[in-house]
Amino acid sequence: MTLWKGRISAGMDAAVAAFTVSLPFDHLLAPDDLAGSRAHVKGLGKAGILTDAEVTTLLETLDVIAEEFEDGTFAFAPDDEDVHTAIERRLTELAGDVGAKLHTGRSRNDQVATDLRLWCRRSLLAVAGEIMALQDALAQRAHDAADTYLPGYTHLQRAQPVLLAHHLLAHGWALARDVDRLLTTVDRLNVSPLGAGALAGSSLPLHPDYVAAELGFHGRFENSLDAVSDRDFVAEALFDLALLGVHLSRIGEELVLWSTEEFGFCTFADAFATGSSMLPQKKNPDVAELARGKAGRLIGNLTAVLVTLKGLPLAYNRDLQEDKEPLFDSVLQVSRALVALRGVYETVAWNEDRMQSAADGPAAAAIDLAEMLVEQGMPFRQAHALIGGLVRESLERHVPLVELVAAHPDLGDAATELLEPGVAVTRRRTPGGAGPGPVAEQAERFVRRREVDLTRLAGWGEPG
Ligand code: ARG
């Protein structure tokens, strides 16, 4: 069904229809479109444009259609252009003439903007919930890791030992920023465009404030032109998802590295690894690789929407239909990656001996030796040069560092204790640092932060 048979009489050319239809993807908006229509119908009732009986009929029919979508019996017609058209057509089929009153005072321009905000709200909240589930897995593994330590790296060169819990929680905090970004994006997008009409509002006595409240929006649009053309929320959502995807990509890369024979820090559970079609011995980290690979697509989706938006004159332009596929795709891909990575973290086996022996390299406590000299009053730059010189001498003369340390007049036995396996990591005492004291405190702060975020999330009610 087309919605404009008065002005344009001929049916649409088939190739044009194939090019312009959005139903193949915007059917995902059905629950949101139904919610928007319910609020709109109530608003028309409040305005006296529909009688109470008409409101009741339309609301009941919208419920029937909702059930058809839920149980999968809703039948799309071949010429349904988009989900909005399909639902209006079905409403008129079921309710008769009163169905033709549904679109009073409304345009698909304010309708689609409303639907997409509702979809975005529930979808981003669901993603935030999935991030928090991944954080939970990280927190659990951090707790279970107890005193296990591994090398911390800079420039991918071993730098200082850190607790495994510290390393895992580092990803947890990045994800906490993702949760925060999504929640603030939802907060900003929670504005109703309904009542803006095609672009300029209406001559009918509509109640945009009332329908906004009905839909759980904080309020209504300020400017009808802006309301129908604003897709900032789509771009913001795509940025949030792209950055989240970048975080997941870094996690993926790390797991790929750690599972190599060269690192040997972890072994994937069989259910989260893949084999090779040719090489019988292979166990491949495909899940982690895809978590890494998806980031390209997520960044692409953000770029696609920004480029679509950049030259658009006010107000609605059909280009805006291009907002949906990137958005739907990013939400879907990120959700799947979050679930898959959570499974990986819940099941991966850490090879603690490998981690710890890599961290117990002879020079792992070099900074601790230098700081010991600082505590004895030596200027840091001098201490740095002295210990650096001993490390070099040890490498050049093939003498264990510990022997040079023991023999040095400023160092001696107390200093050699710092070189014992597992000692260096215990000396990171400062707040937010990598040793047992601060990490225990950090883990508590992380739990509290999650509780706060869970409360924020719950404040939005059940997503969709
Ligand atoms: N399918 C369209 C979209 O996604 C709906 C709005 C169409 N509006 C119009 N004036 N042609 O943007």
Side-chain angles (χ1 to χ4, degrees):
M1 178 181 81
T2 51
L3 302 172
W4 49 74
K5 56 181 179 245
R7 170 70 177 81
I8 298 189
S9 58
M12 202 188 269
D13 176 85
V16 169
F19 182 57
T20 56
V21 288
S22 53
L23 187 62
F25 48 89
D26 72 12
H27 62 88
L28 294 183
L29 295 175
D32 312 290
D33 198 71
L34 289 162
S37 286
R38 277 193 204 98
H40 182 61
V41 164
K42 289 186 198 168
L44 292 176
K46 197 173 154 60
I49 297 166
L50 295 177
T51 66
D52 288 351
E54 287 172 328
V55 168
T56 306
T57 306
L58 287 173
L59 291 179
E60 283 174 2
T61 313
L62 288 168
D63 286 344
V64 171
I65 297 173
E67 275 166 36
E68 290 183 352
F69 272 104
E70 269 160 38
D71 59 27
T73 57
F74 185 94
F76 290 103
D79 55 356
D80 286 340
E81 183 191 337
D82 55 25
V83 71
H84 325 291
T85 321
I87 289 175
E88 191 180 332
R89 170 193 52 77
R90 183 68 181 139
L91 186 82
T92 310
E93 277 169 15
L94 291 172
D97 287 348
V98 63
K101 296 193 174 185
L102 171 71
H103 211 53
T104 311
R106 188 175 72 171
S107 158
R108 276 186 301 165
N109 300 349
D110 57 346
Q111 183 180 4
V112 72
T114 305
D115 293 3
L116 201 57
R117 282 175 190 261
L118 293 173
W119 188 89
C120 232
R121 186 173 72 188
R122 66 186 170 96
S123 303
L124 298 187
L125 292 172
V127 171
E130 283 155 8
I131 299 174
M132 299 199 68
L134 175 58
Q135 285 181 310
D136 191 43
L138 283 165
Q140 192 58 50
R141 292 307 303 257
H143 178 266
D144 296 344
D147 293 335
T148 303
Y149 56 92
L150 76 165
Y153 295 83
T154 63
H155 315 271
L156 204 54
Q157 308 287 321
R158 289 176 194 166
Q160 284 183 276
V162 298
L163 286 188
L164 176 58
H166 191 58
H167 193 110
L168 295 173
L169 288 173
H171 293 308
W173 289 107
L175 294 171
R177 293 191 296 277
D178 291 317
V179 170
D180 184 59
R181 251 186 299 275
L182 288 169
L183 292 179
T184 53
T185 295
V186 169
D187 204 47
R188 253 189 309 283
L189 70 76
N190 200 35
V191 176
S192 176
L194 200 52
L199 75 165
S202 175
S203 67
L204 299 167
L206 304 176
H207 291 289
D209 289 296
Y210 169 80
V211 294
E214 276 291 304
L215 290 167
F217 285 121
H218 293 330
R220 62 151 169 90
F221 62 95
E222 297 289 349
N223 178 307
S224 61
L225 290 170
D226 184 41
V228 291
S229 59
D230 170 18
R231 294 294 185 278
D232 290 5
F233 66 100
V234 177
E236 268 194 62
L238 286 171
F239 172 75
D240 297 350
L241 297 168
L243 187 51
L244 167 58
V246 166
H247 292 151
L248 300 183
S249 176
R250 296 179 66 187
I251 287 175
E253 164 64 1
E254 178 176 284
L255 290 167
V256 169
L257 274 181
W258 283 13
S259 66
T260 57
E261 265 180 80
E262 285 72 10
F263 269 79
F265 287 179
C266 71
T267 309
F268 291 116
D270 284 355
F272 292 89
T274 44
S276 158
S277 60
M278 177 173 166
L279 307 176
Q281 85 283 11
K282 291 299 295 291
K283 183 168 186 181
N284 290 330
D286 292 33
V287 177
E289 290 169 285
L290 277 170
R292 186 178 61 190
K294 296 283 183 190
R297 175 168 172 176
L298 299 168
I299 295 164
N301 286 341
L302 168 63
T303 310
V305 165
L306 287 174
V307 175
T308 298
L309 295 178
K310 72 172 269 298
L312 292 185
L314 293 175
Y316 179 84
N317 298 274
R318 190 64 178 268
D319 316 45
L320 290 176
Q321 182 170 291
E322 291 294 309
D323 58 1
K324 284 167 211 62
E325 283 169 291
L327 180 64
F328 296 165
D329 182 59
S330 286
V331 166
L332 178 66
Q333 298 306 324
V334 158
S335 303
R336 287 184 178 158
L338 285 166
V339 173
L341 280 181
R342 169 159 43 113
V344 168
Y345 272 125
E346 281 167 351
T347 55
V348 69
W350 305 128
N351 301 336
E352 292 161 8
D353 292 345
R354 285 288 299 239
M355 286 182 175
Q356 299 194 163
S357 60
D360 285 330
I367 183 66
D368 298 278
L369 295 172
E371 286 175 357
M372 189 184 133
L373 294 172
V374 165
E375 278 178 328
Q376 291 165 9
M378 187 182 287
F380 175 70
R381 194 46 64 209
Q382 196 181 327
H384 183 286
L386 191 157
I387 303 300
L390 290 182
V391 170
R392 189 153 61 104
E393 190 183 341
S394 149
L395 292 170
E396 283 174 3
R397 289 179 41 219
H398 304 289
V399 180
L401 182 65
V402 65
E403 284 179 23
L404 299 177
V405 167
H408 195 281
D410 291 331
L411 294 161
D413 287 347
T416 61
E417 282 170 26
L418 298 179
L419 299 179
E420 297 285 319
V423 171
V425 73
T426 64
R427 295 178 54 81
R428 306 279 90 77
R429 302 194 187 97
T430 45
V439 170
E441 195 205 338
Q442 180 197 160
E444 277 172 34
R445 292 166 80 108
F446 188 70
V447 168
R448 283 206 295 279
R449 168 69 182 259
R450 277 194 79 252
E451 281 164 5
V452 169
D453 286 344
L454 281 172
T455 308
R456 289 168 78 192
L457 190 56
W460 284 100
E462 274 296 299

